[in-house]
Amino acid sequence: MKLLPLFISSLSVSLRSANALWPVPRNLEKGTSHLLLSPSFDIQVEGVAFSDVPGDLQGAIGRTKTRLWEDRLGRLVPGRGQSDLQASAAPGSLSLLTLSIKPPPGEGKGAKVPSITSEVLKDVSARDESYSLHVPADGAPARISANSSLGLLRGLGTFEQLWYWAEKGGEAGTGVVYMHEAPVVVKDDRPAYPYRGFMLDTARNFFPVPDIKRTLDAMSMVKMSQFHWHVVDSQSFPLEVPEFPELAQKGAYSEKEKYSTQDVQDIVKYAAERGIDVLMEIDIPGHTAILAESHPEHIACLHASPWSQYANEPPAGQLRLASAATADFTVALISAIASRLPGTLFSTGGDEINQNCYREDAQTQKDLKESGKTLEQALDGFTGRVHEAVRGRGKRVVVWEEMALEHQVGLANDTVVMVWISSKNAAKVAKKGFHVVHAPSDYFYLDCGAGEWIGNSAGTNSWCDPFKSWQKAYTFDPLASLTKDQASLVLGGQQLLWAEQSSPENLDSIVWPRAAVSAEIFWTGPRLPSGASRSVGEALPRLHDIRFRMVQRGVKAIALQPLWCALRPGQCDS
Amino acid sequence: MMLLRVSQVLLGLSSLSSSALALWPQPRELSTGTTPLKLSNDFSVSTKGLPSTPNDLQDAIRRTQGFLRTDKLQALVPDRGASSKSAVGSARALRSLRLAYTGTARRLTSLSEEAIADVESRVEGYTLTVPADGGEAVLQANSTLGLFRGLTTFGQIWYELEGTAYTLVAPIQIKDEPLYKYRGFMLDTARNYFPVDDIKRTLDAMSWVKINTLHWHIVDSQSFPLVVPGFQTLSEKGAYNAKAVYTPQNVKEIIDYAAARGIDVIAEIDTPGHTSILAHSFPEHIACFEASPWTKYANEPPAGQLRLASPATVNFTSSLLTAAAKLFPSKFFSTGGDEINANCYNEDAETQKDLAGRTVDEALDGFTQAVHGALKGVGKTAVVWEEMLLDHKVKLANDTVVLVWISSANVQAVAQAGYRLVHASNDFFYLDCGAGAWVGNFPDGNSWCDPFKTWQKSYSFNPIANLTKEQEKFVLGGQHLLWTEQAGPTNLDEKIWPRAASGAELFWTGPGGDVRAALPRLHDLQYRFVKRGVKATPLQPEWCALRPGKCDLDA
């Protein structure tokens, strides 16, 4: 048996029978042997009694063991892998995967392996997600080594994607789990960018906790590291805040459409166990009309009509940023929320501030006059106080790009800026020296292209038409128009779902598999293991594969093509 | 109380308030009051006055009563109806809905028989009165199908508050019948396969908006899931896998399920194009099989068309379609006929030999005559895509029905030729448009029929645009369509619903509806669909759904 480095394999091999890993590791060598998964297969952590393995790593190991048998994914070839069974007379059988953590936890009592969660909760740039994986072809133990439990989790995610299932002829429900390209060697796979996210808006329409957990599971499959939770907005306030119970009481769509403190802790824990940090956003000072249901004194231009003069979408309403009382309220609210979150990033939003709203608000005009400040100066003061409160809780502030590019607002050097209006604006943000998260509407907005949702607008398209296909997103270049020096400011990126036209009914289908695209862009970087540039032609068969695997795991990812095409890579290319 | 024409009702303020009646499709004549009325705990549907009660009508009554209990849809207002608590509490209770037959037959025909009768003979009208005082509600019709449509309307009247089903707008008086006889939905089960349960759920949803035809594009070049007696090898070798098939038993199950819900199933076996998959079992009948590059031989991969000039292929096709047609009791059977690729035949040596001096169109004429003739022999009227009439010199029987899909602008030409037509134009009714190119290696590609067709777009369609009075009678109706290159069971519901309901109302109530007035009712329908287990897509934030008009462009 000889290892075939991917770069010498022909184009047809890389298109037709590549290990369908997503995101593709940065280094990958593979063979051509079949390897069975032994019915007695087990996963052990080297040098540590299983009882001393941190609970979240135990959980991850348990999930991997279950999935290997339950994924039951037939290989995407005509016949779905039936011929694989006949191809190899006496394949090896794998009965052990060893997880090895460096440095070794030491001997005897008190030996501690740090948890996945503890790594996830570090600063986004400080997490170690690297791992190496070796699966020998002869059935000898496979091995994942890493410097952290998080790295082991990433390795387990890769390992899970190697396996297929083939039904044994005539025996419905019985089959074998096997891989077809052993041996597999992944050396020092690690993400090109630490921030690989997905944003969900739970305010335009509500998503129950199980929907969020299912989304986190799918995110974890493709090694995403950040869940950006746009939890509240002008339309509803589903977040329960113990210090401000009236906000959700009056602002949630209904008693049931709320996230309790327990729900939030549950989601944060569930995410961390899966290698995902939760970045919560409380968008201010715009996008806050709903606060007026319980605190009308803090909101300018509430439900002002026509809304198009006061907000980018209905209903209008913004925090009275020039009011000292409103600033106090906002600081107290954000502090209360941030103090319960263990992650190191917190977003205060800051997009789409409407000037006209403040111009016509007598209270704001009075406050400005009394303080002698311009609106921009008031915004600076407001932002400064809120950001100080966030930073005081050990968090880095995340803002939308307007805060850095359109307003004269002082921002701390470590502020993370999300670029959404246009991918072109990333260079402007980098020029100012801020860290960038790519979230451009022209590549990564998942809601575009479903028609205008505003009523009485027959025949108009969505504002960010057309639909952002996976292919379009895949061509995004994180470093376009950045200098070499600026490149280090890019933390990563994410696809986003604004939920004006989404709900639990279409969540999976609008998100998956498209959101997996940015997961690969920001993990794998610009080049395949072969050294060739990533391309949609090479990616499609692998994206089909992860999509079908998601469906097997209960995520309703959509078909990208007729099944005929999915089984015949390249045959349906343009 | 006065019956208002629907156009007047739509303009009224009450239709903008979502606590009003939110029926879909809007009845042709409707009047409502302002009195609260609740359903009694012992509410029942009485069939005593009917000359007989067919089993499928009895089942429909049972389903309606089930929905009255299980919908639990709260009114789409900010407090979800809480402020109506005392009004509902003190409301009169409706104890009975009486079904009455106004026809002359001594026994009612079954709903299923009426559903598959000749499309032009179907009677779907009904009247429904729900008094405000708790007195008996009455549903009258002179057909079983009409009674069924009325039951469907009755099931949409009610909201739920703390376990009580209620309306705030009694008395209600409805006189209703569809403007068009054909109100369809087309599903492609060949690009990706849909299990029987998904089709049944779709049929349920169709029936809730009074759609009466499933156009089942059952096979295509990519797969052949239909098990045809005598031709089993087609599905054995052409289905995606052994489980991704429709057996004759499955087909019967689907047809029966549809008919019991007032829906006729029209099967399509698309010929002579879109048949590449047949080559897996009958390579001798297929020209340009999987020829490359596919773009020269077909509109999408894989290439392959029936050798229409070959007598053996003509015989084979006639036998196959006849055998398939026998599985379906509908009067209609579609032979497709779209997107025939001339180059495929030009380069096929076998076809060039078989043409023997004929043109391809002459051979197509012979092929079509033979196939349509065979279908006529088993009692079927042919349905074809527009190219067969407009692009090819093919003689079609006068009763042929033509589906207009390439452009709504082609409707006039079909009517001018004197053929009955069904609106299925991609520029208004294609549900698959706007999701990006599905062919691979095409990063900047949009779907060929961009943009996405919104519900408002199809709602604004005029079925008689550019037609003379004389030509209007050729319009049987219309349908939304789902081609499934980018659809499967995982996104079936949200691709179709609630958008296809827009066509359902257009062809039931008639054109000219106002999208502003329709939106609150469509929200209502979407929420009710979700309650009934159909994953319809939300149209707006819930904030907007609860506040009609507040999210309009000019609000």
Side-chain angles (χ1 to χ4, degrees), chain A residues 80 167 203-206 234-236 253-254 257 290 293 303-308 313-315 449-461 465-467 469-472 475 499-507 509 536-537 540 547 551 555-565 567-568 571-574, chain B residues 78 80 190-192 221-223 240-241 243 276-277 280 290 294-295 300-302 433-446 450-452 454 456-457 460 484-491 494 514-516 519 526-527 530 534-544 546-547 550-555:
Chain A
R80 304 305 295 270
E167 203 166 280
R204 272 55 180 259
N205 283 302
F206 180 79
S234 273
Q235 289 84 356
S236 75
Y253 281 131
S254 71
E257 292 166 289
I290 197 69
E293 301 294 325
H303 298 183
S305 175
W307 59 263
S308 51
E313 68 180 64
E452 177 55 68
W453 62 267
I454 292 292
N456 199 29
S457 50
T460 36
N461 297 327
D465 249 36
F467 181 87
S469 69
W470 79 266
Q471 302 190 59
K472 170 79 178 173
T475 61
E500 284 88 353
Q501 293 161 304
S502 294
S503 66
E505 282 64 45
N506 65 345
L507 174 66
S509 61
V536 292
L540 177 55
R547 178 265 165 181
V551 172
V555 175
K556 291 182 177 293
I558 66 163
L560 298 168
Q561 291 187 323
L563 182 56
W564 191 91
C565 306
L567 303 182
R568 293 167 181 83
Q571 297 285 301
C572 294
D573 283 358
S574 66
Chain B
R80 304 307 299 270
R191 272 53 180 259
N192 283 302
S221 273
Q222 289 83 357
S223 77
Y240 280 130
N241 62 62
K243 286 176 201 148
S276 174
I277 198 70
H280 290 248
E290 297 188 6
W294 61 263
T295 45
E300 66 180 65
C433 305
W438 64 267
V439 292
N441 209 19
F442 196 16
D444 292 321
N446 295 323
D450 251 30
F452 181 88
T454 63
Q456 295 101 320
K457 175 78 176 172
S460 67
T484 59
E485 286 86 354
Q486 294 161 303
T490 56
N491 63 344
E494 57 263 38
D514 173 18
V515 293
R516 188 196 299 260
L519 178 56
Q526 188 261 334
Y527 276 77
V530 171
V534 172
K535 293 180 177 292
T537 301
L539 300 166
Q540 291 186 326
E542 187 164 323
W543 191 90
C544 307
L546 304 182
R547 293 166 182 82
K550 292 287 194 199
C551 295
D552 283 357
L553 191 58
D554 48 0

Side-chain angles (χ1 to χ4, degrees), chain A residues 332-369:
Chain A
L333 172 62
I334 298 237
S335 300
I337 295 167
S339 64
R340 288 191 179 79
L341 296 166
T344 53
L345 295 172
F346 186 91
S347 175
T348 58
D351 58 323
E352 301 185 317
I353 301 173
N354 184 294
Q355 310 276 335
N356 194 45
C357 168
Y358 291 126
R359 217 173 288 133
E360 296 191 14
D361 181 51
Q363 178 65 47
T364 297
Q365 291 306 315
K366 185 168 149 259
D367 290 336
L368 288 173
K369 200 170 177 189

